């Protein structure tokens, strides 16, 4: 197993910091997956990068790219003990076909399994703990040996991944490289066919995203490819792709530089302000004003890049009801503390339009508004007001004992709302 050399790792990391990870993200064409991977392996973290692969339905694509750039790159497979036999056979097929020469299986600690999952049914009663002992815990000592790791995550897979960049800096100062961030399901299939890559044996049976056998089911035609993972449970990730704060790893750890508050932390914002005159087919990572979107709807819908929507007071979100799922993020403006129209927009999005992506409040966001905002469906805030920033960082927000307007979903009991949890 490769051991990282701390000095070069530190040097590489310092170099990356000096370059600026955001600049790094701007260096590559959106579609240049091999270019991102080659640069990460050869320039960013030479000898200090590894990949964790599930050997699932679309793993062959990234592993094929790895084999082109460096077939000796360490590849780790989490052998949870719960895989389909077809997956274990597929590991061997890909190793042989692609010529990968450095593949390792990581097993859970047998004492932990005996103690916490003696009957092998923890996945049913407590899947988070099952993933913890079978994936997160065994992987931790491995990732600690490297300055970074490559993942096969893609933006289209879940709303949470809709803003995934190519390079991320985690809060423990490691680098995650996501060469396939921009790939769609169709891109994966096209790549697999173009390179005659072997298909996972279960793919043709409707298994489009494959993890452990008890937690994976086939998906119907047209269904979200990941809908078969932990079906029926409010669980979308196994935990290993999450940063400490539960968010997708932040591209920069210096919270002080960020204004976007999400999932309990200030994180780097991949979105830029929309610029008048932007070509609708070229726009990416920008919140398109609602009237502009309506005026050029066809072009924006044909645009393959991640986009957001900007809703100003007076704009009617109902006018784009059919298209809200197109946006990875919807920004609702609060130009003044006294203007409450944004609350109604958020509630419409959540309660009537079933929008599941990011709803962010922008503008005059102040401390006292935040509990109302969260309650109405906002899950991200752009905060520039210094005292409000400090209150968020210190986890000091007012709780609200009384609400004047009912909301259309179950209220979380006062004092237990996780976003209001105080440090004891
Ligand atoms: S995916 Fe399911 S079986 Fe596998 S570790 Fe997680 S909960 Fe356990």
């Amino acid at each position: 197993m490769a051991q990282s050399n701390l000095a070069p790792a530190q040097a590489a990391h310092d170099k990356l910091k000096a370059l600026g990870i955001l600049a790094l993200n701007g260096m590559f064409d959106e579609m240049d997956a091999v270019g991102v991977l080659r640069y990460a392996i050869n320039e960013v973290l030479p000898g200090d990068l590894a990949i964790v692969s599930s050997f699932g339905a679309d793993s062959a694509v990234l592993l094929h790219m790895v084999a082109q750039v460096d077939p000796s790159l360490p590849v780790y497979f989490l052998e949870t003990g719960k895989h389909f036999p077809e997956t274990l056979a597929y590991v061997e097929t890909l190793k042989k076909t692609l010529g990968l020469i450095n593949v390792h299986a990581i097993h859970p600690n047998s004492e932990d399994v005996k103690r916490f999952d003696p009957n092998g049914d923890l996945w049913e009663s407590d899947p988070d703990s099952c993933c913890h002992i079978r994936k997160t815990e065994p992987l931790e000592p491995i990732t600690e040996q490297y300055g970074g790791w490559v993942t096969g995550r893609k933006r289209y897979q879940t709303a949470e991944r809709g803003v995934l960049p190519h390079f991320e800096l985690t809060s423990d100062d490691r680098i995650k490289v996501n060469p396939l961030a921009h790939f769609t399901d169709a891109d994966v299939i096209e790549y697999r066919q173009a390179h005659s890559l072997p298909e996972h044996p279960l793919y043709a049976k409707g298994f489009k995203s494959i993890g452990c056998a008890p937690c994976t089911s086939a998906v119907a035609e047209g269904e979200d490819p990941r809908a078969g993972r932990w079906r029926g449970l409010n669980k979308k990730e196994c935990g290993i792709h999450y940063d400490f704060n539960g968010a997708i790893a932040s591209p920069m750890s210096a919270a002080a530089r960020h204004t976007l508050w999400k999932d309990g932390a200030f994180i780097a914002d991949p979105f830029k302000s929309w610029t008048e005159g932007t070509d609708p087919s070229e726009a990416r990572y920008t919140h398109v004003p609602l009237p502009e979107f309506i005026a050029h709807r066809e072009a924006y819908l044909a645009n393959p890049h991640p986009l957001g929507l900007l809703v100003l007071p007076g704009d009617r979100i109902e006018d784009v009801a059919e298209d809200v799922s197109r946006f990875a993020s919807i920004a609702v403006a609060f130009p003044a503390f006294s203007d409450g129209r944004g609350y109604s927009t958020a509630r419409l999005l959540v309660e009537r339009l079933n929008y599941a992506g990011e709803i962010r409040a922008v503008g005059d966001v102040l401390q006292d508004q935040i509990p109302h905002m969260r309650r109405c469906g906002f899950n991200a805030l752009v905060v520039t007001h210094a005292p409000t920033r400090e209150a968020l960082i210190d986890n000091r927000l007012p709780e609200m004992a009384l609400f004047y307007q009912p909301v259309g979903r179950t209220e979380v009991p006062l004092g237990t709302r996780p976003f209001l949890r105080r440090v004891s």
Side-chain angles (χ1 to χ4, degrees), residues 152-192:
R153 291 178 298 162
K154 302 165 197 72
R155 291 176 194 137
Y156 83 91
Q157 288 171 322
T158 62
E160 286 79 5
R161 292 179 180 180
V163 293
L164 189 70
H166 280 139
F167 292 90
E168 302 169 88
L169 195 61
T170 64
S171 53
D172 64 346
D173 274 352
R174 287 191 165 76
I175 295 154
K176 281 189 193 171
V177 186
N178 309 306
L180 303 185
H182 58 275
F183 262 55
T184 62
D185 196 23
D187 292 331
V188 171
I189 294 167
E190 196 183 309
Y191 188 100
R192 212 165 45 207

Side-chain angles (χ1 to χ4, degrees), residues 382-396:
V382 174
V383 184
T384 51
H385 181 246
T388 302
R389 287 178 61 83
E390 281 163 28
L392 280 164
I393 290 167
D394 296 345
N395 204 14
R396 286 183 285 107

Side-chain angles (χ1 to χ4, degrees), residues 96-141:
K96 203 166 147 205
T97 317
L98 303 179
L100 298 167
I101 55 172
N102 204 1
V103 179
H104 308 265
I106 312 173
H107 300 269
N109 179 306
S110 56
E111 288 304 311
D112 280 351
V113 173
K114 222 187 287 170
R115 182 167 164 217
F116 298 110
D117 192 13
N119 302 320
D121 55 4
L122 189 61
W123 63 270
E124 206 170 7
S125 56
D126 186 355
D128 283 340
S129 297
C130 185
C131 280
H132 189 76
I133 61 166
R134 293 178 188 277
K135 295 179 175 176
T136 316
E137 284 276 320
L139 188 59
E140 215 168 83

